[in-house]
Amino acid sequence: MDITDFYDTFFEEAEELLADMERHLLELDVDNPDPEQLNAIFRTAHSIKGGAGTFGFEALQNTTHLFENLLDHARHGELKLRRDIVDTFLETKDMLNDQLTAYRNGEEPDQEAFERICKTLRQLALEEIGNNLEGPGPAAAPATKPQEPASAPEAETPPQAETAPTTEAPAGEQLLIALLGVSEENRALLVEELEQFGTIHRRSGDESRYEVVLETTTSADDIESVMCFIIEPEQIETSTVLAGQSSAEATEPRAQQPTPAQTEPAEQSAATAPAAEAPAPAKAGPAIEPPEQPPADPKKPAGKPAAKPKPKAGAESSSIRVSVEKVDQIINLVGELIITQSMLDQTVSELDGVTNGALINGMSLLQRNARDLQESVMSIRMIPMDFVFSRFPRVVRETSSKLGKEIELCTEGESTELDKSLTERIIDPLTHLVRNSLDHGIELPEEREAAGKPRRGKLTLSARHQGGNIIIEVIDDGAGLNRDRLLAKARESGLNVSDSMTDDEVWQLIFAAGFSTAKEVTDVSGRGVGMDVVKRNIQSLGGHVQIMSTPGQGTTIRIVLPLTLAILDGMSIKVGQEIFILPLSTVLQSLQPTKDDLYEMAGQDLVLRIRDEYLPVVAVHEAMDVADAQTDPLQSIAVIVQGEGRRYALLVEELIGQQQVVVKNLETNYRKVPGVSAATILGDGSVALILDIPGLHQLSLSKKDAQGPRSRAPKKAPLSPTEVDLS
Amino acid sequence: MNRYSTEDTLTASDGENRQYLVFSLGEEEYAIDILKVQEILGYENVTRIANAPEFIKGVTNLRGVIVPIVDLRIKFNLDKVDYDGQTVVIVVNVSERIVGIVVDGVSDVMTLTPDQIKPAPEFGMSLSSDFLSGLGSLENRMLVLVDIDKLLNSKEMSLVDQVGD
């Protein structure tokens, strides 16, 4: 097998490791660094170095080597971290990324940049710890023999389930690490490596099984991930030795056979790890999670925690990359399947249940499977918001240092899931909003102190589900929007504004093209391009933006987006003989209107009073020109719906029920239809239109305008309901 | 049905000759470029679209794709517009859009040589000569050759969102 076959795996792994590294570096508290985190950063560098060595990527290996040594000093407290040092580390990480990209494209990395970064790192080491970094780092040994692990297992016989000598294990947090089929030479290396983690109490065994009892505070998983670059993951078994327990018992059950040599541990662990361990290949960055006690694995003897906690990163890395088009194609096909299934179901339901029992049972089974399939397929497209949020720590860090501000970033609801296509398209607008909040929202530390606020500004990114929507908020605790300045600026730019505008309307001004209230144009923001683009982008995703602002306390920018563009929870309604779909997320309630609730205004417009609120009544049969429909409002059902912040009462004839519908674009082959947002296909194969609430209201207004003998009252006229006899 | 052009059909691969699908609207015979035709369906299950011109019958589900249906008989002001078992929808593919057109019937596929195609004279109101690519003359038949691309993309068909609409 050619080693280049594993390049891609290495690149992806290294990329994930670098992402982990960046995350840890950003989270690092410079004054009081968490040793666990320093260890994690060290391990990522170490793992990359090991891989780079194996594949002969020299520049990458040398850079990580220097970097790793520095990190090693840092984690042993010999290097006092400062903010600028962390910045250098981040820069190094970027450099590693560049090198990786170069290797990936089959090029040699930029030699000049490589030398520069090496020089920087050496300089740093010299200044801070008086070490030139050239001496072998404590963990440098493994990388110098990168090819070793590949050949080691080959010569070995499959390990037998021999019983290790029973020894009384000393009390304390101890790990029993068994090395299976590891050559003498590698064993020495590994033991040396293990000494880095704690005290070795006992070591014994032979080539097929060599056991080490290690007293350490590091989790078994972390240890494994370090050792994995020397030997194969399944050559390692770790288990916790509880006081007084025999080590032999603790190591049951035995691992599987070592497979022929492969250079890529991840490849192997995925392929050959026993079922119990499969979900957590000791791959990428298992180190990122704090050690935790996982639930006991049923396959292990009771009472002993499973040796491998399943880290988050492990689960992520056991994924495959598939193009979105393929997924979309599956979603379309499944949609078709569901429709076909519903059609069959309808036919079958007319059959005699006694003679066709088997068929009917089969159909219900098919229905269940089809629905499950649809659900699973839909969930493929959903990815957590973490994907979006994870890029902001860096943005905030860099922007705030550029602006001379002190800003803390908090994220909430990272696990909220969103359709992949939406996630990708929300990144740009969100980045813009974040930069904007950093630049215009949060004040300089001195101003904050003067205003009696903590020096450190706080920017919160939050995501949560609400109905069929996801709500993403960018919250800052800055100065808030300045109404007067916005209005003045708007006048200056020739916009039509008045002092009587509501706050909401004033806030929306920042989305006008070419509008910026920044006193000076900075290179972060302030050129006035952007906010209008942000709004347009979000609207094109079917969402909208709201702004809430309190002077002196901050601004919240809220993005409301549909969860997915592909499916929709709908309420089917009937008007005349026609069926329409209302997005369920817009439906608030439905009721049978009574004579007392309905008022006529300006001679022809109906309003419905509900809990002291007057809602415009939109008769669907009128807006949609339905023939033979029930026209008497008192015989209809009023569905209270909400669209673009306003509420309406829709008059419909019948509510049929809720169903999930696959959204089909009308504009693909036709054009935009007023009052209709899209179409879908019903169970009988016919097409139903999905109503667009604000559009529907506009439509009914324009229809009344066209046919109404009297001019309509202006939209904002005060309501003066006069009761009329409708019966 | 009479066959006038068997030989022509055989030489269809000849670059200059083109094949046309012949359909009838009332008593008249029309033809469109066969390469634009995707398939032929019966007329059923059409969902009406409100506030659209009368000749747009609505949309239908063509294996998961929403396709608008245009009734050319209404567009061309024919007297009799019935929907029965004979009514046929020709599904055409123009400028990457799929549109169904309702006609009274589909008769045959003809191959026309360039000299059989005569320029179209100025027509009346219902069908501008802009949408015709000519008249096909065959012994005792006359085929109105419709430029389906131009027709369906035209503003008056209102099938497409016009710029500035």
Side-chain angles (χ1 to χ4, degrees):
Chain A
M1 198 177 294
D2 189 354
I3 193 164
T4 54
D5 291 352
F6 299 110
Y7 278 10
D8 276 344
T9 323
F10 168 70
F11 290 141
E12 276 177 24
E13 244 181 79
E15 237 166 52
E16 280 163 19
L17 286 169
L18 285 175
D20 280 346
M21 185 193 284
E22 178 178 285
R23 196 167 54 82
H24 284 298
L25 281 170
L26 291 169
E27 281 172 8
L28 203 59
D29 178 359
V30 185
D31 302 320
N32 186 17
D34 177 5
E36 222 7 87
Q37 224 160 19
L38 285 173
N39 277 333
I41 298 169
F42 170 77
R43 278 189 303 269
T44 53
H46 184 62
S47 300
I48 295 169
K49 184 176 89 172
T54 309
F55 293 109
F57 299 141
E58 266 182 41
L60 185 61
Q61 189 192 358
N62 291 338
T63 319
T64 39
H65 177 66
L66 292 173
F67 190 26
E68 178 196 16
N69 282 354
L70 264 180
L71 289 168
D72 192 50
H73 288 295
R75 69 176 179 152
H76 289 117
E78 293 155 25
L79 171 67
K80 185 83 186 72
L81 287 176
R82 286 193 317 266
R83 210 178 148 84
D84 62 297
I85 295 181
V86 175
D87 283 341
T88 310
F89 285 174
L90 280 169
E91 208 181 298
T92 313
K93 181 250 142 193
D94 286 347
M95 185 59 61
L96 293 175
N97 228 347
D98 291 348
Q99 290 179 348
L100 202 63
T101 314
Y103 283 124
R104 183 171 250 185
N105 298 334
E107 298 157 6
E108 273 300 308
D110 185 355
Q111 192 65 27
E112 212 176 292
F114 163 62
E115 277 161 16
R116 199 180 62 235
I117 198 76
C118 287
K119 200 166 149 238
T120 317
L121 290 174
R122 282 200 193 97
Q123 188 72 23
L124 183 64
L126 213 58
E127 283 167 12
E128 300 298 324
I129 39 180
N131 179 334
N132 65 1
L133 284 185
E134 293 307 331
T144 58
K145 295 190 173 84
Q147 300 297 339
E148 201 80 37
S151 53
E154 252 178 336
E156 309 308 334
T157 48
Q160 300 304 305
E162 63 178 84
T163 311
T166 309
T167 5
E168 201 64 26
E173 172 66 19
Q174 295 193 12
L175 286 174
L176 181 116
I177 300 155
L179 306 170
L180 310 172
V182 177
S183 68
E184 177 101 34
E185 199 180 346
N186 274 340
R187 254 180 0 232
L189 273 176
L190 286 169
V191 169
E192 201 181 303
E193 188 91 354
L194 286 173
E195 278 171 344
Q196 305 283 330
F197 290 108
T199 324
I200 292 180
H201 281 289
R202 180 179 63 83
R203 45 188 185 189
S204 60
D206 54 20
E207 197 158 284
S208 61
R209 184 177 182 86
Y210 189 83
E211 292 187 346
V212 179
V213 175
L214 178 71
E215 186 170 334
T216 177
T217 50
T218 315
S219 78
D221 219 50
D222 291 350
I223 292 174
E224 274 181 32
S225 68
V226 171
M227 299 206 298
C228 275
F229 271 95
I230 304 177
I231 53 171
E232 306 298 341
E234 55 276 358
Q235 283 180 281
I236 313 161
E237 272 180 26
T238 48
S239 46
T240 319
V241 182
L242 300 175
Q245 227 163 21
S246 94
S247 58
E249 202 187 331
T251 55
E252 290 298 325
R254 295 300 307 267
Q256 63 299 336
Q257 304 191 342
T259 45
Q262 283 185 14
T263 40
E264 193 46 63
E267 280 289 310
Q268 254 197 343
S269 72
T272 60
E277 297 179 355
K283 203 182 160 179
I288 59 157
E289 289 290 314
E292 55 182 337
Q293 290 298 318
D297 189 309
K299 292 194 180 164
K300 307 247 172 186
K304 289 180 200 66
K308 291 196 178 190
K310 182 178 166 185
K312 203 166 98 199
E316 271 166 16
S317 54
S318 65
S319 60
I320 51 167
R321 279 149 215 259
V322 182
S323 78
V324 177
E325 290 91 77
K326 280 188 182 173
V327 174
D328 284 347
Q329 200 181 351
I330 296 177
I331 289 177
N332 272 337
L333 287 172
V334 170
E336 290 303 291
L337 178 72
I338 297 281
I339 291 162
T340 318
Q341 180 268 325
S342 316
M343 284 195 276
L344 277 175
D345 211 34
Q346 235 161 33
T347 319
V348 167
S349 65
E350 287 157 18
L351 295 176
D352 175 22
V354 181
T355 47
N356 300 295
L359 180 62
I360 289 169
N361 284 343
M363 277 309 297
S364 62
L365 200 63
L366 178 66
Q367 177 173 13
R368 204 163 58 229
N369 290 340
R371 297 280 165 199
D372 286 354
L373 180 65
Q374 186 185 32
E375 227 162 81
S376 329
V377 168
M378 287 300 179
S379 70
I380 294 180
R381 288 184 60 105
M382 305 295 268
I383 56 171
M385 277 302 285
D386 200 26
F387 176 83
V388 177
F389 285 171
S390 61
R391 67 193 56 219
F392 284 105
R394 190 77 187 265
V395 171
V396 170
R397 187 191 169 90
E398 279 174 2
T399 315
S400 59
S401 66
K402 217 180 268 175
L403 294 167
K405 294 181 180 177
E406 292 174 27
I407 293 161
E408 178 192 358
L409 175 75
C410 300
T411 53
E412 290 165 9
E414 297 97 327
S415 59
T416 315
E417 286 195 327
L418 181 63
D419 190 279
K420 175 133 177 19
S421 60
L422 284 171
T423 330
E424 280 162 357
R425 286 151 74 187
I426 197 67
I427 288 173
D428 279 352
L430 205 56
T431 310
H432 217 99
L433 290 175
V434 166
R435 283 167 174 264
N436 209 66
S437 284
L438 295 176
D439 195 8
H440 305 313
I442 295 175
E443 316 93 319
L444 290 166
E446 298 73 40
E447 290 174 33
R448 291 182 63 87
E449 271 183 344
K453 293 201 269 192
R455 276 179 74 84
R456 225 169 137 81
K458 188 173 168 189
L459 184 84
T460 309
L461 284 173
S462 92
R464 62 176 192 274
H465 285 163
Q466 192 184 73
N469 291 324
I470 185 167
I471 295 183
I472 303 167
E473 286 177 334
V474 181
I475 306 161
D476 68 54
D477 65 348
L481 294 173
N482 186 328
R483 188 187 158 97
D484 295 336
R485 215 162 88 200
L486 279 170
L487 283 172
K489 180 75 190 178
R491 289 207 182 88
E492 220 173 275
S493 340
L495 293 170
N496 184 18
V497 291
S498 76
D499 284 327
S500 63
M501 283 166 82
T502 65
D503 278 356
D504 271 345
E505 285 167 325
V506 176
W507 305 153
Q508 290 289 333
L509 285 174
I510 66 169
F511 292 118
F515 196 87
S516 173
T517 54
K519 289 173 198 143
E520 280 169 50
V521 170
T522 66
D523 64 344
V524 178
S525 59
R527 275 175 297 264
V529 285
M531 285 306 258
D532 58 322
V533 180
V534 167
K535 187 173 183 181
R536 254 207 321 274
N537 283 350
I538 289 167
Q539 280 175 341
S540 73
L541 299 178
H544 60 273
V545 193
Q546 296 166 351
I547 303 177
M548 285 141 282
S549 185
T550 317
Q553 289 182 23
T555 308
T556 297
I557 299 179
R558 176 183 289 170
I559 303 172
V560 184
L561 277 183
L563 275 187
T564 170
L565 301 175
I567 47 165
L568 176 115
D569 274 315
M571 160 84 76
S572 24
I573 55 164
K574 197 169 181 185
V575 181
Q577 288 309 302
E578 298 185 21
I579 290 175
F580 298 97
I581 309 283
L582 286 174
L584 199 59
S585 53
T586 65
V587 177
L588 301 173
Q589 69 171 117
S590 62
L591 52 95
Q592 182 94 49
T594 65
K595 207 169 73 179
D596 298 341
D597 299 333
L598 286 164
Y599 299 89
E600 193 166 327
M601 58 178 264
Q604 51 177 193
D605 286 1
L606 272 180
V607 292
L608 177 79
R609 191 186 64 185
I610 175 165
R611 286 190 294 270
D612 293 331
E613 205 182 340
Y614 294 94
L615 305 178
V617 172
V618 179
V620 177
H621 69 88
E622 247 173 53
M624 287 281 131
D625 268 338
V626 180
D628 309 326
Q630 177 62 255
T631 52
D632 181 358
L634 295 179
Q635 298 300 312
S636 308
I637 295 168
V639 184
I640 313 300
V641 292
Q642 183 176 305
E644 280 177 9
R646 297 187 62 182
R647 293 176 184 194
Y648 309 92
L650 295 189
L651 288 184
V652 306
E653 215 167 300
E654 200 182 317
L655 299 179
I656 295 176
Q658 292 176 19
Q659 66 185 112
Q660 213 171 48
V661 298
V662 179
V663 178
K664 300 273 181 180
N665 197 338
L666 264 180
E667 283 143 79
T668 317
N669 293 313
Y670 187 49
R671 56 181 290 170
K672 185 146 181 47
V673 178
V676 172
S677 61
T680 189
I681 297 168
L682 297 177
D684 63 357
S686 65
V687 179
L689 303 177
I690 301 170
L691 298 179
D692 163 39
I693 312 298
L696 205 64
H697 182 234
Q698 283 303 317
L699 192 63
S700 75
L701 288 185
S702 62
K703 290 202 146 202
K704 280 179 186 152
D705 270 347
Q707 60 186 233
R710 297 162 54 176
S711 65
R712 284 176 29 74
K715 233 166 135 186
K716 295 219 161 165
L719 295 177
S720 51
T722 29
E723 197 165 344
V724 288
D725 191 4
L726 283 160
S727 50
Chain B
M1 181 146 314
N2 298 317
R3 276 269 170 206
Y4 297 96
S5 54
T6 330
E7 286 154 43
D8 290 342
T9 314
L10 290 174
T11 57
S13 56
D14 186 342
E16 299 202 336
N17 297 343
R18 296 181 83 168
Q19 285 192 303
Y20 289 87
L21 178 75
V22 182
F23 58 90
S24 56
L25 296 175
E27 299 300 311
E28 298 155 25
E29 281 193 302
Y30 293 79
I32 53 173
D33 185 353
I34 191 105
L35 295 177
K36 303 286 179 195
V37 178
Q38 180 181 314
E39 59 190 288
I40 295 171
L41 304 170
Y43 180 90
E44 55 178 4
N45 246 338
V46 176
T47 301
R48 195 185 58 87
I49 287 189
N51 313 309
E54 201 192 347
F55 54 83
I56 293 179
K57 296 306 295 176
V59 287
T60 195
N61 164 25
L62 179 67
R63 294 184 300 278
V65 181
I66 309 280
V67 176
I69 302 291
V70 178
D71 196 330
L72 282 188
R73 301 173 299 180
I74 303 175
K75 176 66 195 162
F76 293 170
N77 288 331
L78 261 63
D79 301 334
K80 210 166 118 258
V81 179
D82 292 329
Y83 298 95
D84 54 29
Q86 298 297 308
T87 311
V88 164
V89 177
I90 305 175
V91 179
V92 294
N93 203 325
V94 291
S95 346
E96 305 196 333
R97 280 166 183 265
I98 302 171
V99 178
I101 54 178
V102 183
V103 298
D104 276 324
V106 173
S107 48
D108 50 2
V109 176
M110 295 279 207
T111 302
L112 296 180
T113 56
D115 57 317
Q116 282 177 303
I117 300 176
K118 314 284 184 235
E122 203 62 41
F123 264 99
M125 302 292 282
S126 60
L127 185 59
S128 155
S129 55
D130 291 350
F131 307 134
L132 301 183
S133 49
L135 294 176
S137 82
L138 286 162
E139 294 177 34
N140 53 353
R141 289 167 78 183
M142 187 198 76
L143 304 178
V144 182
L145 307 183
V146 179
D147 187 336
I148 198 77
D149 261 289
K150 267 192 192 160
L151 178 66
L152 295 183
N153 284 316
S154 70
K155 187 164 184 178
E156 55 180 278
M157 291 305 282
S158 51
L159 276 169
V160 186
D161 282 317
Q162 301 293 334
V163 181
D165 230 15

